[in-house]
Amino acid sequence: MMMTFDQLGLRPELVKATASQGYASPTPIQAQAIPAILDGRDVLGGAQTGTGKTAAFALPVLQKLNQEGRRSRRPRCLVLTPTRELAAQVGEFMKVYGKHLSLRSAVVFGGVNINPQINTLKRGVDILVATPGRLLDLAGQKMVDLSAVEIFILDEADRMLDMGFIHDIKRVLKLLPGKRQNLLFSATFSEDIKKLADKFLANPAMIEVARKNIAAEKVDQVVHPVGLKDKRVLLAKLIHDGNWQQALVFTRTKHGANRLAGYLEKNGIGAAAIHGNKSQAARTRALAEFKKGKVQILVATDIAARGLDIDRLPHVVNFDLPNVAEDYVHRIGRTGRAGCSGEAVSLVSADEQKLLRPIERLLGRKIDVEVVDGFAQNPADKNEETFVNFTRKGGRGKTGGFSSRSRSTGKRRNSPGEVRAAAG
Ligand code: AMP
């Protein structure tokens, strides 16, 4: 019997939110952390992106704040993250999981105008997700009062220390009330992390999950090497040959998203682009048409795709690989949910190959490389050899040496295991 979210003691509004995200059952970190956090325990969690760690703390936190119901203008939960991308991501998940509750959450980070953040804080928030520098800035200006924090979460503590945030963390800790629940998540446990954990966790539940990635397990992933200029032609071919009805395609830039959507439209494929330069109304319209099936292909940048409430996509395409490995995991996390099979396709030009390594390290596995007939990397591209060497350790083989899949039949010549072995 598969465990369910309501067996973990979560209220129906939260269970409903996980169902609409397409989650069939809790991941190991969720199964262990949720009951401990609901119980009020401190937690020391060993987990990295891709294990479902965000929901592991977000769901019980939302439940606790909701049931205690005290409305204060001051934050009652503080999540510290090392980067603004992660802060935005956590903030979006708080909104997505909490959509049937009436708690308020906000995200603050540096590098952007502080005034809108001040205004949001003035209106009152229950959950504040922050990077350390901007938080201390706001606290220094007396724009945020952390004296009502009941739950403090340090996310990706190892990265925090790597980025030199230790003093900032200590400064933040001094602003918090003494009595509170503390959660610390980290992918690795160095001596420094242990020291930090000793400092502010009290008798924590120790939860460690294997280096295992849900995304990596449930999603059929493939890399197609292709010349930069041929990417869009290959994408159109994959859509046609595979008779794709719905796919989310990621590009790195807004401009790239527009151009690609235009190209697909011109080739008879219904497509729309969503990105930061589009009005909220235009984005909502594009999303609605995509959901209804009027538009087959939604082209999006990472930021625009955050928090998009779309479930169970059969195909996710990395038209460009993301610069940050975690973004890859979040992109492909949009397919293969709830037991549905999903496919994540990455179109990788020679200059992007260097981005594959950190992604594979995060996934804990190699991604299969398959050349689509007629679409090997552009021979005029001087970097082509590099790609071949990188994927086939031990030989400068021709691209034909890869497992190549005939797109018309969808059959693979090599099993993924064989390819992985060949790829080292
Ligand atoms: P995280 O490790 O929190 O960064 O989450 C990685 C990805 O896993 C996200 O795309 C989540 O939407 C997804 N996810 C989280 N929990 C589950 C679950 N129980 N089942 C399936 N996917 C999940």
Side-chain angles (χ1 to χ4, degrees):
M1 259 286 283
M2 212 161 52
M3 184 182 267
T4 60
F5 278 99
D6 56 352
Q7 284 171 335
L8 295 177
L10 290 174
R11 49 187 307 129
E13 292 92 332
L14 293 167
V15 175
K16 198 166 139 194
T18 61
S20 72
Q21 284 294 296
Y23 305 167
S25 60
T27 65
I29 184 100
Q30 290 163 4
Q32 295 175 67
I34 290 171
I37 297 170
L38 288 176
D39 256 4
R41 293 199 60 183
D42 280 7
V43 165
L44 179 59
Q48 57 179 349
T49 294
T51 53
K53 72 176 162 71
T54 314
F57 65 76
L59 292 167
V61 160
L62 287 161
Q63 170 141 331
K64 295 195 78 181
L65 297 184
N66 185 68
Q67 75 201 11
E68 275 141 43
R70 186 170 52 83
R71 289 287 170 272
S72 154
R73 297 174 68 82
R74 296 173 294 166
R76 296 161 60 202
C77 170
L78 173 66
V79 186
L80 268 195
T81 74
T83 63
R84 40 167 140 173
E85 287 79 13
L86 186 62
Q89 195 78 52
V90 171
E92 283 304 337
F93 274 126
M94 286 291 184
K95 288 212 159 65
V96 167
Y97 299 141
K99 68 179 172 185
H100 304 296
L101 303 175
S102 54
L103 294 162
R104 290 190 188 175
S105 59
V107 182
V108 297
F109 48 69
V112 294
N113 190 341
I114 201 167
N115 294 323
Q117 298 177 354
I118 291 175
N119 290 334
T120 304
L121 290 168
K122 277 187 181 153
R123 285 196 294 273
V125 299
D126 298 294
I127 297 163
L128 182 61
V129 186
T131 52
R134 178 55 60 94
L135 181 70
L136 288 167
D137 218 1
L138 286 160
Q141 296 184 37
K142 301 254 178 291
M143 288 303 165
V144 64
D145 176 354
L146 298 176
S147 65
V149 169
E150 297 158 35
I151 308 172
F152 172 61
I153 303 164
L154 198 60
D155 197 12
E156 303 206 352
D158 47 353
R159 252 167 104 195
M160 292 266 208
L161 297 194
D162 288 348
M163 291 170 72
F165 282 136
I166 185 69
H167 297 293
D168 283 352
I169 294 171
K170 286 181 181 162
R171 251 173 254 147
V172 170
L173 284 171
K174 286 202 186 111
L175 301 174
L176 304 178
K179 190 176 165 301
R180 53 167 206 268
Q181 185 176 9
N182 299 290
L183 317 175
L184 183 153
F185 290 88
S186 187
T188 57
F189 287 97
S190 63
E191 281 309 309
D192 286 342
I193 295 284
K194 286 182 198 145
K195 253 196 260 164
L196 181 66
D198 279 347
K199 215 183 213 76
F200 77 95
L201 299 177
N203 182 30
M206 314 271 248
I207 298 169
E208 179 134 34
V209 296
R211 231 185 134 74
K212 178 168 127 172
N213 212 295
I214 354 169
E217 280 173 11
K218 293 201 178 150
V219 182
D220 192 6
Q221 299 166 65
V222 63
V223 162
H224 294 314
V226 59
L228 203 53
K229 293 202 184 74
D230 294 333
K231 278 190 177 187
R232 53 191 206 166
V233 184
L234 175 56
L235 177 63
K237 177 183 164 60
L238 295 175
I239 295 168
H240 272 304
D241 292 2
N243 193 21
W244 292 3
Q245 296 308 311
Q246 217 186 23
L248 180 60
V249 178
F250 286 93
T251 60
R252 206 175 299 152
T253 65
K254 300 168 193 174
H255 189 53
N258 279 340
R259 261 192 325 210
L260 181 59
Y263 172 83
L264 294 174
E265 283 275 311
K266 235 186 277 156
N267 285 274
I269 299 167
I274 54 165
H275 52 68
N277 285 1
K278 296 240 166 168
S279 69
Q280 191 55 47
R283 285 197 239 179
T284 310
R285 193 168 52 237
L287 184 60
E289 293 192 335
F290 181 62
K291 281 186 173 178
K292 274 189 286 192
K294 279 194 183 159
V295 159
Q296 267 168 279
I297 310 296
L298 195 60
V299 187
T301 56
D302 288 292
I303 292 173
R306 278 201 187 120
L308 273 189
D309 200 6
I310 325 173
D311 24 273
R312 292 170 218 191
L313 284 169
H315 307 279
V316 167
V317 177
N318 297 303
F319 191 79
D320 304 309
L321 280 182
N323 287 324
V324 182
E326 278 81 2
D327 280 345
Y328 177 90
V329 172
H330 286 115
R331 286 176 176 189
I332 72 166
R334 295 183 168 282
T335 180
R337 284 176 174 171
C340 298
S341 66
E343 185 185 36
V345 174
S346 301
L347 308 185
V348 180
S349 58
D351 63 312
E352 290 176 298
Q353 57 161 316
K354 60 182 179 298
L355 299 171
L356 275 174
R357 238 185 239 279
I359 290 170
E360 292 181 328
R361 206 175 305 129
L362 185 63
L363 293 172
R365 55 163 282 193
K366 291 270 178 193
I367 306 173
D368 302 344
V369 176
E370 292 173 2
V371 177
V372 176
D373 289 343
F375 284 91
Q377 280 174 350
N378 188 347
D381 189 335
K382 286 198 289 291
N383 291 323
E384 189 192 10
E385 277 304 298
T386 332
F387 193 101
V388 172
N389 282 337
F390 170 66
T391 33
R392 294 193 82 210
K393 266 187 189 167
R396 292 162 45 102
K398 299 190 297 274
T399 44
F402 292 127
S403 139
S404 64
R405 157 152 69 172
S406 153
R407 273 282 157 187
S408 45
T409 63
K411 283 215 188 77
R412 288 184 187 185
R413 239 182 270 155
N414 294 14
S415 77
E418 285 166 332
V419 177
R420 228 170 300 155

